[in-house]
Amino acid sequence: MLLVDDEPGAADLAATHVERLVDGVETVTRTAPADALAVVRDQRVDCVVSDYNMPGTDGLELLEAVRSIDPGLPFVLFTGRGSEEIASEAISAGVTDYLQKGGGRDRYEMLANSVENALDRRRAERDLRGVNAKVTAIHEFATEVSGAESATDVFERVVDAAEEILSFDRCVTARRRGDRLVPEARSANVGEEEVRTFDLGEGVVGTTVAEERTIVVDNLSVDPADPDELEDPTDPGVSRRGPAAGTAGGAAPASEGDANAPPDANAPTEAEELADPVADDIRSAISVPIGPYGAFQAVSDGYASFDGGDVEFAELLAAHAADALEQIETENALRSERDRLSALFEDLPLPVVRTASAEGDERRLDATNEAFEETFGFSDAAHGYREIHDAIVPEGDERIDGGGVLDDGEPIRREVRRRTADGLRDFILNVIPVSRSDETIVYNVYADIGEQKRVERTLRRLHETTREMFRGGDREEIAALAARAAIDILEFPASGVRLYDPDANALSPTAISEEATAALGERPPYGPGDGRLWEAFETGEPIVVDDLDAVETAIGYGMHRSLLVVPLGDHGVMPLGSREPGFFDDTAVQLARVLGANVTVALDHAQRTAQLRDRDAELNREIDRLEKFAGLVSHDLRNPLNVAAGRLELARANVDDADALDELDRIGDAHDRMEELIDDLLALARQGRTVDELESVPLADAAAQAWRTVDTVDATLARPDESLAVEADPERLRTLLENLFINSVEHGSPDGRAAPDGSVEGGDADSASAPDGVTVRVGALPDGFYVADGGVGFGIGPAEATEYGASSDPEGTGFGLAIVREIAAAHGWAFDAVDDDGARFEFRTDG
């Protein structure tokens, strides 16, 4: 956090209080705005707290410069020069919060609370963007890796994805070759000397692959004999065991699943013997199986560097990689059997059709195997080549160049869609030419990838549903979307979402599908001890029961035989059921976890949105209270002011002395001045509120109405074209014009004298002013309108003239142009005052 104050002592004092009151915050102080900007450019800054009144550059100018570097950086204005003027400017400029230093003891508590809220919001936004990016990137990775052509390519893509998506800068993949695990790919900053080959079951990586389970290690000591190295840095004095380890399997298992769980006190002492260090700077690690094919491992020199989210995303990467390796393994098996296809043709479980050359470019059907006949419903005995081709190949499908296969003598592999006896299905078609002495025959081997394509389509639909959840409203709507997605997208038989009610300490049935209600009936809330649902919520781990009839349960599950419960973080659980035993296989569990992760993120977002909405509502209520307070204060001020005015009139009636009467007149002038200030302050409070309803207002008519309400002396109005209209609140637009006209009449004439009447002209007259008066023009801009006079201009700077209480006339209140500025801001218009041969005020109403 960066604190900026031209008074070093004030900056240091604020930094000391913030560091004491806000956990985990580090402060940097600067006394010059230029130095503060250098920090924002060159270092990571999560929040800026700045004074307002500083030499050269004030706090709002610093805000503008900071936001040009980092538009989303929280900025708190902490000023000793508290006023409505600065507060309004700060809010209009977009500060995160505005606080006055004041003299109270709690001012630094308020500052610390503001900083903590700003940091929480920035952290939440960053975390949300990170999770969304990771989910999208993993979906893209799943699509890309499914097209990998070799196992090496898959292992390398896992490392690339881990570096890019998960920011694991030290990671490796190990590939299983028989009973050995060989390093296959590593990140750029892992050297060859940091990896080696391991036996299956040796070290962390060997155990990961042998048992196909994820292992999380929080604390690896460089020297098991040194108790200082084993101390938990988050809890000094408490030691955690963990032997030395090395990248790619050098770590012995210390804990599984929960990155913060202490190691098993009864863990076998052989764990230390399993560890074979390759690098001595490793403190924590995760090791994830890539199916039976190998493992992915990430390491760090920090304590407990990997949380549950890291583990979950790493497991998703590994699961997609395992699917791709399984597909490649299948395809490689097909290629290796190419020379033996003839002998195995009839027994091959995949659909195969064999063709041979015919006259011209036509092919003749040579044979079909049993699987082909079962899949497509055609055989070589009853059908010809053209008949089968036209029946199973959909219209518009890309034609395979059979002649090219024959000429090149090389097999081709292509993803195709074919009509089968059960409808359209997706296949990988391997076209394999085999040369014979008399001719070349071609085997067309179909590998069904319908399940893979279904998973890909499911992931895409889940991603779309996640976006819909983020566009949704409250938690109940998200729960309803999730319950339907489980049935409509994942094709689970029954689903529901139970959200946690902290007041009842129970999981309430928030969104239960009709299918689940039909199988279970109406269900009450469940709390501690109520079976698998509460267990999944409490542990944060999915629970699968393959046969509910075969186990004891704390609650009944009606007609359901299978149960899958997916935790939704602190929000609740998603129970999924089926009347079929063993319904939820590994693929179903994995897809349910993806849905659960997306629902959890959406619920987090809804929770934060609700909190922000409540805060905004509270702020609006506070504004209303302040406005009512201003009205009460005005009323309380006017009462004694009226009494004073009455007493003054009585005093005038009883005094004959000229000097005394002159003094009484001065008191009367002071009363009038106080009345003007009260009126202007109330007007300022009313006009600054945001305009909610707009209508098209002809500017010429509004100008004419405003002109008639102003004592225009001998001034002249040049109205705009009748076609010019402005989207505005009519009443406040007229108030804006009245204040500008008064300003021109009172300040525009060289002598400032008032005379009886004014006149109104139509059109854009340039020389229609009265002989001794000033001409006021209202006209169009490309993106708005302007009001200008041909008077003497500003007696003070144009920008200063619009400040509260600023006036070149000693008798003026200095609120007229400030009210104009507030009305413009309430409409969302850009407002500018220009000294250009008189006073000119420009309003940009578009954008």
Side-chain angles (χ1 to χ4, degrees):
M1 188 193 76
L2 173 62
L3 289 111
V4 188
D5 197 312
D6 60 328
E7 175 57 47
D12 293 338
L13 182 59
T16 300
H17 279 282
V18 170
E19 288 185 350
R20 179 174 60 84
L21 295 172
V22 181
D23 292 335
V25 70
E26 295 181 4
T27 60
V28 175
T29 62
R30 292 293 185 271
T31 57
D35 296 338
L37 284 176
V39 173
V40 173
R41 278 191 296 267
D42 301 336
Q43 301 180 31
R44 173 178 170 177
V45 176
D46 293 312
C47 181
V48 176
V49 176
S50 174
D51 190 15
Y52 173 81
N53 194 13
M54 296 182 291
T57 302
D58 64 28
L60 295 183
E61 292 170 339
L62 177 60
L63 166 65
E64 182 178 1
V66 165
R67 290 285 171 79
S68 68
I69 299 172
D70 185 349
L73 183 59
F75 192 104
V76 177
L77 195 64
F78 187 51
T79 176
R81 186 188 168 193
S83 67
E84 291 182 0
E85 165 194 353
I86 297 176
S88 178
E89 276 192 271
I91 293 170
S92 300
V95 297
T96 306
D97 205 348
Y98 167 82
L99 301 172
Q100 294 184 24
K101 293 179 180 178
R105 297 179 60 187
D106 62 345
R107 62 189 184 278
Y108 290 111
E109 283 81 356
M110 295 174 61
L111 174 61
N113 184 60
S114 177
V115 169
E116 188 171 27
N117 289 340
L119 292 175
D120 287 345
R121 180 182 298 179
R122 185 167 174 86
R123 188 180 302 113
E125 292 172 350
R126 185 186 298 119
D127 291 345
L128 182 59
R129 288 194 299 269
V131 170
N132 285 340
K134 285 182 181 179
V135 170
T136 300
I138 286 177
H139 288 174
E140 294 174 353
F141 167 81
T143 302
E144 293 173 359
V145 79
S146 65
E149 296 184 355
S150 68
T152 298
D153 189 18
V154 172
F155 283 105
E156 290 176 348
R157 289 191 187 193
V158 170
V159 170
D160 292 342
E163 288 182 304
E164 181 179 351
I165 302 172
L166 307 182
S167 300
F168 291 169
D169 59 353
R170 295 183 67 190
C171 58
V172 296
T173 52
R175 182 177 180 182
R176 180 175 179 177
R177 296 183 182 274
D179 290 333
R180 302 283 286 171
L181 292 163
V182 180
E184 188 74 9
R186 62 182 188 273
S187 54
N189 59 352
V190 175
E192 289 186 5
E193 71 282 356
E194 295 184 70
V195 296
R196 70 171 181 83
T197 300
F198 283 80
D199 290 329
L200 188 65
E202 178 188 5
V204 165
V205 71
T207 306
T208 296
V209 178
E211 300 180 9
E212 289 191 35
R213 67 182 176 91
T214 297
I215 297 175
V216 180
V217 183
D218 281 342
N219 191 10
L220 298 173
S221 169
V222 226
D223 182 4
D226 185 354
D228 291 336
E229 292 294 339
L230 296 175
E231 185 172 281
D232 184 342
T234 64
D235 192 0
V238 177
S239 297
R240 295 173 59 132
R241 290 190 59 197
T247 305
S255 62
E256 178 183 359
D258 185 359
N260 295 316
D264 185 0
N266 298 317
T269 56
E270 292 80 22
E272 294 185 10
E273 298 175 5
L274 288 174
D276 190 359
V278 179
D280 60 4
D281 61 342
I282 297 172
R283 194 70 182 275
S284 57
I286 58 173
S287 187
V288 181
I290 304 178
Y293 307 103
F296 165 80
Q297 190 175 78
V299 299
S300 171
D301 58 1
Y303 168 81
S305 296
F306 306 101
D307 58 21
D310 293 329
V311 173
E312 185 168 0
F313 282 119
E315 288 179 338
L316 284 174
L317 283 181
H320 291 309
D323 290 342
L325 288 169
E326 182 179 3
Q327 176 181 321
I328 291 172
E329 187 178 68
T330 301
E331 295 170 5
N332 287 341
L334 287 175
R335 293 191 188 95
S336 67
E337 294 294 320
R338 183 179 64 177
D339 295 336
R340 293 185 293 167
L341 277 177
S342 296
L344 300 175
F345 181 72
E346 291 299 334
D347 296 329
L348 195 67
L350 299 177
V352 183
V353 60
R354 188 169 66 205
T355 64
S357 300
E359 294 182 2
D361 294 332
E362 191 64 29
R363 303 290 296 170
R364 64 178 175 83
L365 184 63
D366 187 56
T368 56
N369 71 350
E370 184 178 349
F372 185 90
E373 296 171 14
E374 292 176 352
T375 302
F376 294 100
F378 295 93
S379 69
D380 60 299
H383 309 88
Y385 170 81
R386 180 52 55 185
E387 180 183 3
I388 296 177
H389 179 277
D390 293 343
I392 71 172
V393 178
E395 291 184 13
D397 190 80
E398 184 181 356
R399 181 179 176 83
I400 295 176
D401 184 8
V405 175
L406 295 175
D407 293 339
D408 297 338
E410 294 293 331
I412 64 171
R413 173 183 175 274
R414 184 168 298 168
E415 185 177 314
V416 298
R417 176 163 285 194
R418 292 290 184 261
R419 293 192 188 95
T420 70
D422 300 324
L424 283 172
R425 285 161 60 183
D426 295 299
F427 296 90
I428 293 294
L429 173 58
N430 289 278
V431 182
I432 307 169
V434 177
S435 297
R436 291 179 175 175
S437 58
D438 55 342
E439 64 178 347
T440 298
I441 63 171
V442 177
Y443 289 91
N444 294 274
V445 183
Y446 290 90
D448 192 341
I449 58 168
E451 179 63 18
Q452 174 190 331
K453 300 299 290 185
R454 185 187 73 82
V455 171
E456 290 177 4
R457 290 192 293 270
T458 297
L459 289 174
R460 284 196 295 271
R461 292 182 65 190
L462 283 179
H463 186 56
E464 294 169 0
T465 300
T466 301
R467 291 183 175 179
E468 187 176 356
M469 290 179 189
F470 274 87
R471 292 192 297 268
D474 55 23
R475 291 166 17 119
E476 287 72 18
E477 293 180 23
I478 294 172
L481 286 171
R484 287 317 309 170
I487 295 177
D488 298 341
I489 299 177
L490 301 186
E491 300 179 358
F492 293 155
S495 69
V497 173
R498 286 177 171 270
L499 296 181
Y500 177 65
D501 180 356
D503 295 331
N505 192 28
L507 297 168
S508 299
T510 308
I512 308 300
S513 68
E514 296 177 1
E515 295 84 347
T517 302
L520 302 171
E522 297 296 331
R523 310 291 275 178
Y526 292 132
D530 287 338
R532 267 69 173 181
L533 274 66
W534 187 264
E535 182 182 347
F537 174 68
E538 195 169 46
T539 62
E541 292 294 329
I543 290 179
V544 182
V545 181
D546 290 329
D547 191 351
L548 289 165
D549 289 351
V551 298
E552 292 185 4
T553 59
I555 59 175
Y557 289 94
M559 303 175 67
H560 281 162
R561 293 287 300 279
S562 298
L563 175 68
L564 168 59
V565 188
V566 180
L568 304 176
D570 296 333
H571 302 287
V573 296
M574 176 181 289
L576 308 164
S578 171
R579 303 185 187 192
E580 177 185 340
F583 178 84
F584 298 103
D585 57 15
D586 291 343
T587 299
V589 173
Q590 194 63 48
L591 290 173
R593 292 187 67 175
V594 171
L595 175 59
N598 293 349
V599 174
T600 302
V601 173
L603 289 171
D604 287 339
H605 176 264
Q607 186 178 57
R608 286 189 291 270
T609 300
Q611 292 170 348
L612 292 175
R613 191 181 297 116
D614 291 343
R615 183 182 177 189
D616 289 343
E618 179 60 30
L619 288 175
N620 286 330
R621 288 192 293 270
E622 182 64 21
I623 290 172
D624 291 339
R625 287 195 295 269
L626 290 174
E627 200 168 275
K628 291 177 182 178
F629 174 74
L632 291 173
V633 170
S634 169
H635 177 268
D636 291 346
L637 287 176
R638 279 197 169 97
N639 281 339
L641 186 60
N642 291 335
V643 171
R647 293 293 181 183
L648 180 63
E649 292 303 318
L650 291 175
R652 282 199 180 100
N654 297 324
V655 173
D656 294 330
D657 183 81
D659 292 337
L661 287 172
D662 184 59
E663 293 299 327
L664 292 176
D665 288 341
R666 292 177 182 271
I667 295 174
D669 292 342
H671 289 168
D672 293 340
R673 177 68 169 172
M674 291 173 66
E675 185 72 27
E676 290 177 9
L677 287 170
I678 292 172
D679 290 341
D680 285 348
L681 283 171
L682 286 176
L684 197 61
R686 288 192 299 270
Q687 304 299 346
R689 292 184 64 89
T690 302
V691 176
D692 295 323
E693 296 183 5
L694 303 176
E695 59 183 83
S696 181
V697 182
L699 192 58
D701 293 347
Q705 293 174 7
W707 190 260
R708 284 193 292 270
T709 64
V710 175
D711 184 4
T712 56
V713 296
D714 55 355
T716 303
L717 173 67
R719 293 192 302 174
D721 187 89
E722 295 291 338
S723 63
L724 179 59
V726 179
E727 293 293 322
D729 177 280
E731 197 62 37
R732 283 200 255 186
L733 176 61
R734 191 174 72 177
T735 301
L736 178 146
L737 294 171
E738 287 173 353
N739 278 274
L740 291 176
F741 294 162
I742 292 171
N743 181 78
S744 293
V745 170
E746 292 183 351
H747 299 279
S749 299
D751 54 7
R753 291 178 292 102
D757 60 38
S759 59
V760 178
E761 295 184 359
D764 281 330
D766 291 330
S767 57
S769 61
D772 297 321
V774 63
T775 297
V776 181
R777 294 180 175 82
V778 181
L781 293 173
D783 53 354
F785 67 95
Y786 71 88
V787 177
D789 62 53
V792 297
F794 295 94
I796 56 178
E800 183 183 355
T802 63
E803 300 291 335
Y804 302 124
S807 176
S808 59
D809 183 358
E811 300 298 325
T813 65
F815 285 103
L817 295 184
I819 292 174
V820 170
R821 187 188 65 196
E822 290 300 322
I823 295 175
H827 283 83
W829 300 341
F831 168 55
D832 194 19
V834 183
D835 198 343
D836 182 18
D837 293 331
R840 179 181 174 93
F841 305 93
E842 299 179 346
F843 302 87
R844 265 73 183 186
T845 62
D846 295 341

